[in-house]
Amino acid sequence: MSIRRAAGTTAGAEPFIVDGMVPKHEQLRGRLTELAARLPAGSPLPGERQLCVEHGVSRITVREAIGQLVSEGVLVRVRGKGTFVAERAARSRLHLASFHEDMRRLGLRPGTAVLDVARSVPPPATRRALELPPGAQAWHVRRLRLADDQPMSIDDAWYEAGVLPDLDRQDLTGSLYTLLADEYGCTIDRAEQTVRAAEADRATGALLGVPAGRPVLVFDRVSYSGGRPVEHAESTYRGDRYELLMTVELGRS
């Protein structure tokens, strides 16, 4: 049992939150943000009653502060169990690398679940990106990418069948860029991509383990080998687990 001090604190705890220029829920939000930063992902947060006692605030204040942090992806609620520290976002520097290389560089264990491999006529946007004639077929590969066994992204990619004639007989659970280089002599040396924000639909959310409507990052990429386009991919990343780091310099005219 904590012993209340005369100055309005509990033994070993921070001073009680009091009325001031900053609203109480914002003060508590700051404290909980600092607490979450010190704890490993998945750690339970103290219960509402304990937070009320430790910080001298009402349950309404506690719920408002926690609700904001849940919406920001700092905390996550699990029905019937409590509130926990959310997974930290993997911060990737914008560069040309395979998913496996990227995750290992970030200290995460990469994994892949192959969802589908089929040879068919691609949609018009892909046909143009791969510079294919009308009616030409390409390999359609869909994979769920994992980091430390947790869903990170969905890759929906097309590959030129003429360059990779037996792609369906290869092991697609590893790095496809390594496979292309080692098995087909097709090293990816350049890519053009756009990044946009979107909301996960129901099917995407089910694969990524997030509710429909959650923010995601969508990468649309065309990859080249020796000037020849060989891959058109759309990769959808969980917005709460992945962020981009880039260096921006002053342009010179």
Side-chain angles (χ1 to χ4, degrees), residues 21 36 53 63 78 87 137 155 160 169 253:
M21 294 289 291
V53 172
R63 288 176 178 172
V78 179
E87 294 282 345
Q137 292 189 337
D155 281 0
E160 185 180 349
R169 295 199 293 271
S253 57

Side-chain angles (χ1 to χ4, degrees), residues 209-250:
V210 298
R214 278 291 182 87
V216 292
L217 289 173
V218 181
F219 295 74
D220 190 295
R221 180 178 63 259
V222 180
S223 302
Y224 298 81
S225 177
R228 181 177 185 176
V230 296
E231 175 195 54
H232 181 213
E234 183 176 271
S235 299
T236 303
Y237 282 78
R238 283 179 54 158
D240 62 339
R241 295 203 67 199
Y242 194 80
E243 58 187 37
L244 286 174
L245 174 66
M246 61 192 76
T247 300
V248 181
E249 298 180 350
L250 180 66

Side-chain angles (χ1 to χ4, degrees), residues 58-249:
S58 69
R59 186 159 291 189
I60 292 176
T61 298
V62 169
R63 288 176 178 172
E64 187 167 1
I66 289 177
Q68 289 181 1
L69 293 177
V70 168
S71 66
E72 293 168 7
V74 176
L75 302 175
V76 60
R77 284 195 182 103
V78 179
R79 186 182 297 275
K81 294 185 178 180
T83 305
F84 300 83
V85 178
E87 294 282 345
R88 271 68 166 180
R91 177 175 293 179
S92 175
R93 183 175 292 275
L94 196 59
H95 65 300
L96 181 59
S98 72
F99 177 87
H100 274 63
E101 293 171 340
D102 208 17
M103 292 302 105
R104 289 195 182 103
R105 186 181 57 81
L106 294 170
L108 301 172
R109 186 176 67 259
T112 300
V114 179
L115 304 175
D116 189 41
V117 182
R119 184 166 172 164
S120 61
V121 177
T126 296
R127 181 176 64 80
R128 290 191 296 270
L130 295 180
E131 299 176 3
L132 299 175
Q137 292 189 337
W139 289 112
H140 188 197
V141 180
R142 295 181 67 247
R143 302 186 298 168
L144 178 64
R145 316 309 299 274
L146 310 171
D148 286 347
D149 297 323
Q150 298 298 314
M152 176 67 83
S153 71
I154 302 168
D155 281 0
D156 190 324
W158 292 83
Y159 299 89
E160 185 180 349
V163 178
L164 318 169
D166 59 347
L167 188 62
D168 60 333
R169 295 199 293 271
Q170 302 289 347
D171 179 7
L172 304 181
T173 60
S175 167
L176 267 180
Y177 283 8
T178 299
L179 175 68
L180 296 182
D182 292 348
E183 295 294 324
Y184 301 98
C186 188
T187 301
I188 300 298
D189 51 29
R190 182 172 69 90
E192 296 178 358
Q193 73 177 5
T194 60
V195 185
R196 70 179 188 274
E199 293 183 351
D201 57 27
R202 185 173 299 178
T204 298
L207 286 172
L208 292 179
V210 298
R214 278 291 182 87
V216 292
L217 289 173
V218 181
F219 295 74
D220 190 295
R221 180 178 63 259
V222 180
S223 302
Y224 298 81
S225 177
R228 181 177 185 176
V230 296
E231 175 195 54
H232 181 213
E234 183 176 271
S235 299
T236 303
Y237 282 78
R238 283 179 54 158
D240 62 339
R241 295 203 67 199
Y242 194 80
E243 58 187 37
L244 286 174
L245 174 66
M246 61 192 76
T247 300
V248 181
E249 298 180 350

